[in-house]
Amino acid sequence: MYKHMTLGEFIISKQKEFKYSSGELSRLINSIRLAAKVVNHEIRKAGLVDITGDAGKVNVQGENQQKLDVLANELFKKNLVNRDIVCGIASEEEDDFVIISGKENSNKNRYVLLMDPLDGSSNIDVNVSVGTIFSIYHRVSPVGTPVTKEDFLQKGREQVAAGYVAYGTSTMLVFTTGNGVNGFTLNPAIGTFYLSHPNMKYPEIGRVYSVSEGYFTHFQEGMKRFLVYCKELAPEDNRPYTARYIGSMVADFHRNMIKGGVYIYPATAIDPNGKLRLLYECNPMAFICEQAGGKASDGFTRILDIKPSELHQRVPFYCGSKLLVEKAEEFMQKYSEEEKPTY
Ligand code: AHG
Ligand code: MN
Ligand code: MN
């Protein structure tokens, strides 16, 4: 592995490390690479063509869909379906999972893909970074039959690969197949992703916390105490910490992984399971986080050990530098144990 190798070269060089070396996973990651470039191309035109704003529709979770949510979802789906590369897709923007049929109304492909096609929708219209998140599992149903819900409701620790695309000052694709995390930056002039961030790891010490403190009044006692702790004067451990909240988890997560910090979307009195979706947002980010030496939990339980019960399930999410997540968990366990989520 050398710096500035292309993503294509990287995938070929890693193929033998994949559990099944049939080339199927490599082809799938290649298709995601292509879809990311197509979505990037569309997003970079936002403001010039009529793709910003509300799509006039509400998704199954009751959220307003933005035009770019719908467009990104369609582009990713089309790219994967056309390439006959997965047997099923589940998406934040789809009511139910999508069965992809092969020639004989079955599908011989082995992988399912779950995605948040556009993360940070509220930031599209104001020219702030957004992202795409994806998660890949090996199906549990027999190859050659249509996928079932069980293929999607697997524990996060069963993920084969996960990643995100950050459409920021530059466009980056960051992913893991369970052997560390690598980041690739798009050179837009020639449309090629290059390895720019090999073997990404959280710094030992982080001092950024990313929480929407506006909801403070609705937070549980443990969370409130953790925020007070972050703001206390304690020069020996670099407190007070610094607050950074973009409102696009991909962007907040990406910064925290590079600079050291914690991203939290906790339970609130209004949303007792928080806002983020276990399957499309928390599991993939938790997998990447752990692979980069960080920690991800719901305040009590490891995210990757939660058995999902439904596709659009939400969970509280604490994710980032190990020591900061552990500190937040300490407050949760001490002051909010009786409000611990159960699954
Ligand atoms: P999405 O755009 O896919 O619905 O997700 C947005 C998520 C996350 O990215 C972000 O950190 C959070 O929602 C922001 O929510 P608040 O505005 O409630 O803080
Ligand atoms: Mn999202
Ligand atoms: Mn989204």
Side-chain angles (χ1 to χ4, degrees):
M1 192 162 91
Y2 54 93
K3 209 170 166 171
H4 295 137
M5 78 195 294
T6 68
L7 176 53
E9 289 167 336
F10 179 87
I11 293 168
I12 293 168
S13 78
K14 291 285 161 188
Q15 191 169 312
K16 52 189 175 308
E17 285 176 21
F18 299 159
K19 192 170 165 196
Y20 304 92
S21 49
S22 60
E24 206 174 316
L25 183 59
S26 306
R27 287 206 301 129
L28 174 50
I29 296 170
N30 263 322
S31 304
I32 292 170
R33 169 182 71 157
L34 179 62
K37 283 194 267 190
V38 176
V39 171
N40 177 65
H41 180 71
E42 294 302 325
I43 283 177
R44 298 295 179 198
K45 290 189 289 192
L48 290 173
V49 291
D50 184 29
I51 49 170
T52 55
D54 216 304
K57 283 188 275 177
V58 172
N59 68 16
V60 71
Q61 301 153 75
E63 297 160 338
N64 283 337
Q65 287 181 310
Q66 301 290 306
K67 286 181 198 159
L68 270 180
D69 280 328
V70 179
L71 182 67
N73 189 49
E74 289 307 320
L75 289 172
F76 263 90
K77 236 172 59 184
K78 206 163 84 189
N79 263 283
L80 298 168
V81 173
N82 285 350
R83 286 187 169 65
D84 184 22
I85 187 69
V86 284
C87 47
I89 296 175
S91 162
E92 187 182 281
E93 303 304 339
E94 302 278 340
D95 297 358
D96 207 347
F97 62 88
V98 182
I99 300 172
I100 298 170
S101 303
K103 286 196 190 85
E104 309 106 39
N105 206 24
S106 62
N107 195 312
K108 303 248 168 6
N109 290 326
R110 281 189 278 212
Y111 295 102
V112 292
L113 180 111
L114 295 85
M115 63 176 171
D116 175 357
L118 205 91
D119 174 67
S121 310
S122 69
N123 280 326
I124 297 165
D125 293 357
V126 290
N127 205 357
V128 172
S129 299
V130 291
T132 295
I133 309 173
F134 61 90
S135 164
I136 298 169
Y137 293 83
H138 198 266
R139 66 187 300 176
V140 288
S141 59
V143 173
T145 61
V147 284
T148 65
K149 206 171 189 173
E150 292 316 308
D151 292 316
F152 299 95
L153 297 183
Q154 299 186 55
K155 287 184 181 168
R157 64 179 188 224
E158 303 298 340
Q159 284 172 103
V160 172
Y164 61 80
V165 187
Y167 311 97
T169 41
S170 60
T171 298
M172 279 192 73
L173 198 156
V174 175
F175 76 102
T176 180
T177 52
N179 282 312
V181 180
N182 291 287
F184 299 81
T185 302
L186 181 66
N187 178 338
I190 51 174
T192 304
F193 280 105
Y194 289 95
L195 179 62
S196 51
H197 295 62
N199 197 19
M200 297 177 83
K201 292 278 177 221
Y202 281 92
E204 262 314 294
I205 303 191
R207 52 179 307 274
V208 174
Y209 68 101
S210 310
V211 185
S212 182
E213 277 195 87
Y215 305 132
F216 188 90
T217 183
H218 300 306
F219 289 161
Q220 295 166 341
E221 187 59 24
M223 189 60 214
K224 287 181 175 167
R225 301 249 183 173
F226 173 68
L227 289 170
V228 170
Y229 167 87
C230 290
K231 287 182 274 204
E232 273 165 7
L233 179 67
E236 66 283 3
D237 58 2
N238 263 316
R239 283 178 291 146
Y241 294 152
T242 186
R244 290 280 185 279
Y245 191 74
I246 297 171
S248 291
M249 183 187 37
V250 166
D252 279 312
F253 177 99
H254 187 72
R255 181 206 49 244
N256 289 350
M257 186 162 67
I258 291 172
K259 300 228 163 152
V262 60
Y263 173 92
I264 305 180
Y265 206 109
T268 68
I270 297 157
D271 296 310
N273 291 319
K275 176 185 180 190
L276 300 180
R277 275 111 330 188
L278 175 60
L279 269 54
Y280 319 115
E281 294 168 315
C282 305
N283 271 336
M285 294 317 239
F287 187 25
I288 301 165
C289 174
E290 287 193 5
Q291 284 293 318
K295 191 168 183 186
S297 79
D298 67 357
F300 303 89
T301 306
R302 181 185 180 221
I303 290 291
L304 298 182
D305 286 340
I306 299 171
K307 172 72 182 116
S309 52
E310 37 173 320
L311 286 176
H312 298 297
Q313 181 175 354
R314 297 172 196 261
V315 290
F317 193 47
Y318 295 65
C319 173
S321 302
K322 198 161 173 279
L323 294 179
L324 284 174
V325 173
E326 281 170 357
K327 185 49 88 178
E329 285 174 333
E330 202 181 298
F331 281 101
M332 291 305 289
Q333 279 151 18
K334 193 159 173 203
Y335 297 101
S336 299
E337 181 74 39
E338 65 292 349
E339 291 165 286
K340 180 177 170 168
T342 49
Y343 304 103

